[in-house]
């Protein structure tokens, strides 16, 4: 069993992410993704709300975390994965600019978690989530008197 786990989690040269560290990063990405999904749900209107989108926010944080662990310090892998993700992005229409912001937040949190910056991932999630709730609850940007 140890041999199988060692083979699965064998590190490429230059990357030093152990099994425990990887699982911790993935857990933080999952927790942060959950928080992003909650903030999105609490601060979103009813018109274009989608449960699938909220679930995608959670999974996106985790996927990007895994990607960051795979990329490590390899510039070639980073460009290859970036190109693959760009193709997926251009094939997926996003209806609301606010949805795009939450997608970027999920990507950023996944990148931070995958790079081992767990404090940045959690702090960024909380601060951005509170900002989204504030903007929603105060009706910021709405025109009054028209």
């Amino acid at each position: 069993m140890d041999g199988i786990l060692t083979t699965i989690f064998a590190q490429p040269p230059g990357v030093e992410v152990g099994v425990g560290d990887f699982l911790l990063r993935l857990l933080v990405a999952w927790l942060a993704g959950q928080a992003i999904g909650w903030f999105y749900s609490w601060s979103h209107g009813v018109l274009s709300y989608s449960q699938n989108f909220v679930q995608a926010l959670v999974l996106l944080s985790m996927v990007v975390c895994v990607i960051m662990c795979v990329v490590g310090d390899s510039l070639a892998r980073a460009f290859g994965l970036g190109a693959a993700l760009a193709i997926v992005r251009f094939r997926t229409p996003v209806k609301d600019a606010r949805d795009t912001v939450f997608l970027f937040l999920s990507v950023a949190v996944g990148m931070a978690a995958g790079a081992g910056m767990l404090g940045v991932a959690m702090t960024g999630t909380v601060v951005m989530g509170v900002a989204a709730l504030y903007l929603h609850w105060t009706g910021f940007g709405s025109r009054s008197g028209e």
Side-chain angles (χ1 to χ4, degrees):
M1 185 66 172
D2 287 338
I4 294 171
L5 288 176
T6 304
T7 304
I8 292 173
F9 289 101
Q11 300 302 313
V15 178
E16 306 213 6
V17 179
V19 176
D21 192 29
F22 173 71
L23 291 175
L24 176 63
R25 292 177 184 191
L26 204 53
L27 175 66
V28 168
W30 178 72
L31 291 172
Q34 288 271 316
I36 291 168
W38 289 327
F39 284 126
Y40 178 82
S41 296
W42 294 334
S43 68
H44 195 275
V46 202
L47 289 178
S48 65
Y49 181 83
S50 167
Q51 179 184 7
N52 288 337
F53 184 77
V54 175
Q55 291 175 359
L57 290 173
V58 177
L59 295 173
L60 182 62
S61 295
M62 297 175 71
V63 167
V64 172
C65 176
V66 172
I67 289 171
M68 287 299 293
C69 290
V70 167
V71 167
D73 292 334
S74 171
L75 188 60
R77 277 184 277 178
F79 278 121
L81 289 169
L85 289 174
I87 291 170
V88 171
R89 166 57 195 108
F90 286 117
R91 303 275 306 169
T92 307
V94 179
K95 297 177 179 109
D96 187 4
R98 198 166 184 281
D99 292 352
T100 305
V101 170
F102 275 92
L103 284 171
F104 283 153
L105 177 58
S106 287
V107 169
V109 164
M111 288 175 71
M117 300 179 201
L118 306 181
V120 171
M122 295 308 288
T123 304
T125 299
V126 170
V127 171
M128 295 299 295
V130 168
L133 288 175
Y134 166 79
L135 294 173
H136 174 70
W137 288 336
T138 61
F140 183 83
S142 65
R143 295 182 176 186
S144 58
E146 287 188 15

